[in-house]
Amino acid sequence: MNKVFLIAKREIMERFGNRSFKWLMILGPLLILGLVYLFLSSTTSTKKNWKVLIMDKNEIFDGKLTASRPQNLSFDFINAFVEYDDFAKDEKYKDYDLAVQINEKIVSNKHVIISYKEYPPENIQRHLVYYVERRLEEIMVEQFTDLSVSKFRDIKQSLQFNLKDANDPRNEKSTTASWVGFGFGILIILFVFMFGMTILRSVAREKSNRIVEVLLSSVKARQLLTGKVLGIGFSALIQFTAWVVIIGFGLYVFRLTLFPDMFSAGFVADEMAKEGAQNPLSNQSPFVELIYSQIHYTNMLIFFTLFFLGGYLFYGSFFAMIGASMGSESDGQQFVIPITLLLFLAVLSGYYTVYYPGTTLSEWIGFIPFTSPMVMMVELSNGFEDGSAWKLFLSLAILFISAFFMMRIAGRIYKNGILRFNHRLKLNMLLKWTKK
């Protein structure tokens, strides 16, 4: 076991002695932060004017909402409720972007539904929340209490706002959460391919310059392979940790400077203080709320790490087999192509799961080791129904058991092929080596 740790330590030191590894540790997360910034900037709504329909059937608000409003936000009242489908498709509502439902029991249930045709930026949401709450405060102070408005605000309960897509009120077509899992899955596939190729190149280099002959005089072939895979895998985890820290810090800086929390009390107070000049509202990407409020990073990162480790050991065994058994560089390239296609198939399976979750095929490919890391990250981002979380742990168990058996097979091929040179690599030769 000491020999395995020594070999692993040697691989780790070799990775950190590589300048490209250190540059990737810094530039990789900076590139991702740059892409995140460009994405959030490019998805910022360019809509100048937002027209809001206030559906107040019982005329609780008496046709009034606010004395002053920003230049690009206007309101109309109607003493009726409009169905989602009618609001989305009826010709007489085509000019409206948002609809606010003031239900008859709003004073007691504190519930407001905002339906939209185009998802409103956070600042638009914030202003709607502010105006509706302030108007309700005026009504309650006038009808139910002798307190002043300012004192009533200290004891009042906030309203609960629920946003619904007028074209999809039940949220059956939304794939936003799925794409979060797809992004995490892409990172798993990227890391697996990067460090799988590192295993292949390391094994092939030691074989071609005959260093492996010296190493095998001191350690067993299985120990050499295990130490190499563990060392490179630990290097991958260190790099992943560095990425998480840098990206996390970058997102924190973005939140403080470029994409502030528009629902925080301090921000609302500052913005509303400026409203005397009726300044037009600036827009912010709707994906800001997704990144900062809706992703459960703890769960995603824990299972990202577990599925990466399982996927790395599973696919890494294939890369180790190729590196040890190839008789020439062209042989290695020939057998890398099928593995690359398998990784591409994993990406396609994740894409399929985004658009067709819950199908029989998406459930089955979630248990297949070749595709499970990608598929299960998508499923995890969507959340599991009560009593179905066992699928996640079963998929993990199958992945690690498969990785264990593949590592054993890789060890046999490594032992039989590492000292063979100038031979023509064939599939039947690999099968014969797995039995020895």
Side-chain angles (χ1 to χ4, degrees), residues 28-299:
L30 292 179
L31 175 62
I32 290 179
L33 285 172
L35 293 175
V36 169
Y37 172 75
L38 290 176
F39 175 73
L40 294 179
S41 299
S42 62
T43 54
T44 297
S45 176
T46 57
K47 194 173 184 60
K48 297 290 186 181
N49 299 300
W50 293 79
K51 197 167 183 180
V52 185
L53 180 66
I54 309 294
M55 296 185 291
D56 187 9
K57 185 176 181 179
N58 295 80
E59 299 185 340
I60 296 173
F61 280 24
D62 196 26
K64 294 184 288 185
L65 192 64
T66 177
S68 62
R69 61 175 180 266
Q71 296 175 5
N72 55 348
L73 193 61
S74 58
F75 307 97
D76 286 327
F77 282 79
I78 182 174
N79 60 346
F81 284 139
V82 180
E83 295 293 333
Y84 293 109
D85 194 57
D86 293 336
F87 177 68
K89 300 175 182 178
D90 199 311
E91 184 71 17
K92 62 183 176 180
Y93 303 116
K94 67 177 183 178
D95 294 331
Y96 293 99
D97 307 294
L98 302 165
V100 180
Q101 297 182 19
I102 308 299
N103 69 82
E104 58 185 5
K105 296 182 180 180
I106 187 174
V107 173
S108 58
N109 62 27
K110 309 292 184 183
H111 188 68
V112 178
I113 295 177
I114 301 175
S115 53
Y116 60 87
K117 297 177 183 176
E118 176 185 338
Y119 191 87
E122 279 192 8
N123 56 337
I124 299 295
Q125 297 177 41
R126 172 174 52 79
H127 277 73
L128 281 178
V129 170
Y130 178 83
Y131 292 136
V132 172
E133 284 198 332
R134 288 299 181 264
R135 179 57 183 147
L136 186 61
E137 288 168 3
E138 294 173 359
I139 293 170
M140 294 188 70
V141 167
E142 181 180 339
Q143 297 182 7
F144 302 105
T145 181
D146 295 328
L147 298 174
S148 65
V149 174
S150 59
K151 289 184 178 180
F152 177 76
R153 286 172 183 169
D154 295 333
I155 62 172
K156 60 109 178 176
Q157 291 180 316
S158 298
L159 294 173
Q160 296 180 352
F161 288 82
N162 188 13
L163 266 73
K164 291 182 178 289
D165 187 345
N167 295 292
D168 182 27
R170 295 185 179 180
N171 201 32
E172 296 174 339
K173 302 175 183 178
S174 176
T175 59
T176 304
S178 299
W179 285 113
V180 173
F182 186 84
F184 277 92
I186 285 289
L187 285 179
I188 289 178
I189 299 301
L190 175 64
F191 270 77
V192 165
F193 181 75
M194 283 170 46
F195 289 96
M197 287 299 297
T198 301
I199 293 174
L200 187 149
R201 286 193 295 265
S202 178
V203 172
R205 184 175 63 252
E206 290 178 353
K207 180 175 180 176
S208 62
N209 58 24
R210 305 297 179 100
I211 290 178
V212 70
E213 297 178 11
V214 179
L215 294 173
L216 290 177
S217 65
S218 304
V219 297
K220 296 179 180 179
R222 193 179 296 277
Q223 291 176 323
L224 181 58
L225 176 61
T226 303
K228 186 176 293 295
V229 171
L230 291 179
I232 294 174
F234 190 74
S235 301
L237 285 178
I238 293 174
Q239 187 163 100
F240 167 66
T241 302
W243 281 39
V244 169
V245 172
I246 295 174
I247 291 174
F249 180 75
L251 291 177
Y252 175 73
V253 172
F254 282 177
R255 191 58 159 174
L256 292 179
T257 56
L258 301 174
F259 308 107
D261 183 2
M262 292 186 169
F263 286 99
S264 66
F267 191 89
V268 170
D270 292 342
E271 288 296 301
M272 294 306 169
K274 304 175 184 176
E275 221 165 83
Q278 297 187 355
N279 295 323
L281 302 175
S282 58
N283 288 329
Q284 195 175 85
S285 171
F287 291 97
V288 171
E289 182 184 359
L290 170 69
I291 291 175
Y292 288 101
S293 304
Q294 299 179 12
I295 299 177
H296 301 286
Y297 285 102
T298 301
N299 286 343

Side-chain angles (χ1 to χ4, degrees), residues 405-424:
F405 282 107
M406 288 309 304
M407 286 298 296
R408 289 186 65 85
I409 294 173
R412 292 182 179 181
I413 293 177
Y414 187 88
K415 180 179 68 175
N416 289 287
I418 194 65
L419 295 179
R420 293 177 181 259
F421 303 93
N422 301 320
H423 60 277
R424 181 72 175 174

Side-chain angles (χ1 to χ4, degrees), residues 210-413:
R210 305 297 179 100
I211 290 178
V212 70
E213 297 178 11
V214 179
L215 294 173
L216 290 177
S217 65
S218 304
V219 297
K220 296 179 180 179
R222 193 179 296 277
Q223 291 176 323
L224 181 58
L225 176 61
T226 303
K228 186 176 293 295
V229 171
L230 291 179
I232 294 174
F234 190 74
S235 301
L237 285 178
I238 293 174
Q239 187 163 100
F240 167 66
T241 302
W243 281 39
V244 169
V245 172
I246 295 174
I247 291 174
F249 180 75
L251 291 177
Y252 175 73
V253 172
F254 282 177
R255 191 58 159 174
L256 292 179
T257 56
L258 301 174
F259 308 107
D261 183 2
M262 292 186 169
F263 286 99
S264 66
F267 191 89
V268 170
D270 292 342
E271 288 296 301
M272 294 306 169
K274 304 175 184 176
E275 221 165 83
Q278 297 187 355
N279 295 323
L281 302 175
S282 58
N283 288 329
Q284 195 175 85
S285 171
F287 291 97
V288 171
E289 182 184 359
L290 170 69
I291 291 175
Y292 288 101
S293 304
Q294 299 179 12
I295 299 177
H296 301 286
Y297 285 102
T298 301
N299 286 343
M300 295 299 291
L301 290 175
I302 288 173
F303 285 100
F304 175 94
T305 304
L306 292 174
F307 276 107
F308 164 70
L309 288 174
Y312 165 76
L313 293 174
F314 182 76
Y315 276 102
S317 61
F318 286 95
F319 285 104
M321 290 181 203
I322 296 173
S325 59
M326 66 184 192
S328 63
E329 188 174 343
S330 60
D331 280 345
Q333 294 174 352
Q334 174 186 343
F335 279 85
V336 164
I337 294 175
I339 301 179
T340 305
L341 291 177
L342 286 173
L343 289 168
F344 183 68
L345 177 64
V347 174
L348 289 180
S349 67
Y351 185 82
Y352 175 85
T353 308
V354 168
Y355 285 103
Y356 303 101
T359 61
T360 302
L361 179 59
S362 65
E363 289 189 2
W364 277 104
I365 58 181
F367 299 119
I368 299 174
F370 292 100
T371 56
S372 61
M374 188 80 201
V375 172
M376 279 301 167
M377 292 308 296
V378 176
E379 295 282 6
L380 181 63
S381 65
N382 286 328
F384 289 91
E385 296 179 358
D386 292 340
S388 63
W390 61 267
K391 297 177 183 178
L392 179 65
F393 296 101
L394 177 60
S395 177
L396 266 175
I398 293 174
L399 179 60
F400 276 97
I401 291 171
S402 302
F404 172 77
F405 282 107
M406 288 309 304
M407 286 298 296
R408 289 186 65 85
I409 294 173
R412 292 182 179 181
I413 293 177

